[in-house]
Amino acid sequence: MTSTKSRGTMLGAGVLSALAASLCCITPLVALLAGSSSIAASISWIEPARPYLIGLSVLVLALAWYTKLKPAKLATDDCGCVAPTKPTFWQSTAFLVLITVFAAGMMAFPMYASTFYPKAQLKPSAAATASTKQVKFMIAGMTCAGCEEHVNVELAKVKGVTAFTTSYASRSSLVTFDPAQTNEDAVAEAIKRTGYKVKGYEALSPTKN
């Protein structure tokens, strides 16, 4: 019984740490689908701990597999005979496989999170002026490709924005917009609606249409 409880505790710890490691990308997706973008970056503080959480998950699952695969001591009854035992589903190898696959999927979630985000679509706007403006916005809180899509969805809603390139790796978004229809403050506010912070922006050279 104690062994079963210990194994259950280990598996629970492994799953929880795997979930925690993926929260930085799951939370923005859930928030976006729920229409509550403001809470999206509330979990971004976990990102620096992600490698440690993944390491903990791998260690715990490895211990669980070691415990499962090592030769078990056969229980005996009062007469010294081997008592037959039938493991429950929760003690089975099949269950451990399911837990391992689930944990691996959670740990790898940031690698494929962007596939679940709706693609940002720019809305048709009034005729642009003779020139557009490019501004690079520095953003804090983005942790994966899914975060890029989250920012892009909000940028696409801003009237006058004609293009954008968002990168979580560089923690920035290069936004092209018509200065006659919008400005830096409006674009920054759109980014802030995602819950991420705009640390500053830099205006680049205007481009001719």
Side-chain angles (χ1 to χ4, degrees), residues 3-204:
S3 178
T4 300
K5 287 184 177 180
S6 298
R7 187 181 297 117
T9 301
M10 283 194 298
L11 291 178
V15 170
L16 286 176
S17 57
L19 281 170
S22 62
L23 276 179
C24 54
C25 285
I26 291 178
T27 303
L29 176 60
V30 173
L32 181 62
L33 296 179
S36 180
S37 295
S38 61
I39 67 171
S42 61
I43 210 73
S44 61
W45 58 269
I46 286 181
E47 175 61 16
R50 177 174 160 75
Y52 304 101
L53 291 170
I54 290 177
L56 176 61
S57 297
V58 172
L59 177 62
V60 167
L61 290 172
L63 288 173
W65 275 104
Y66 172 76
T67 303
K68 180 65 181 176
L69 297 177
K70 74 176 182 179
K73 294 181 179 179
L74 298 177
T76 58
D77 56 20
D78 294 337
C79 69
C81 301
V82 174
T85 57
K86 184 179 181 180
T88 64
F89 172 73
W90 311 109
Q91 299 171 297
S92 67
T93 301
F95 178 68
L96 185 53
V97 168
L98 289 175
I99 291 295
T100 302
V101 171
F102 176 78
M106 288 296 95
M107 288 185 283
F109 186 79
M111 299 174 63
Y112 57 86
S114 59
T115 61
F116 294 98
Y117 280 80
K119 296 300 179 182
Q121 298 290 332
L122 286 169
K123 296 180 180 179
S125 58
T129 57
S131 65
T132 55
K133 191 173 184 179
Q134 277 192 332
V135 177
K136 184 177 183 180
F137 293 83
M138 305 309 298
I139 306 170
M142 294 193 297
T143 56
C144 67
C147 301
E148 298 174 354
E149 294 299 331
H150 192 189
V151 171
N152 289 342
V153 167
E154 291 300 323
L155 289 174
K157 298 176 183 178
V158 181
K159 182 179 179 181
V161 170
T162 59
F164 39 73
T165 302
T166 305
S167 169
Y168 82 93
S170 65
R171 303 291 194 269
S172 68
S173 183
L174 182 61
V175 184
T176 303
F177 59 89
D178 181 355
Q181 299 183 55
T182 191
N183 54 40
E184 291 87 346
D185 290 340
V187 175
E189 283 303 315
I191 296 173
K192 290 177 183 177
R193 282 198 295 272
T194 64
Y196 307 124
K197 295 180 180 179
V198 176
K199 304 295 289 186
Y201 56 81
E202 174 187 3
L204 306 181

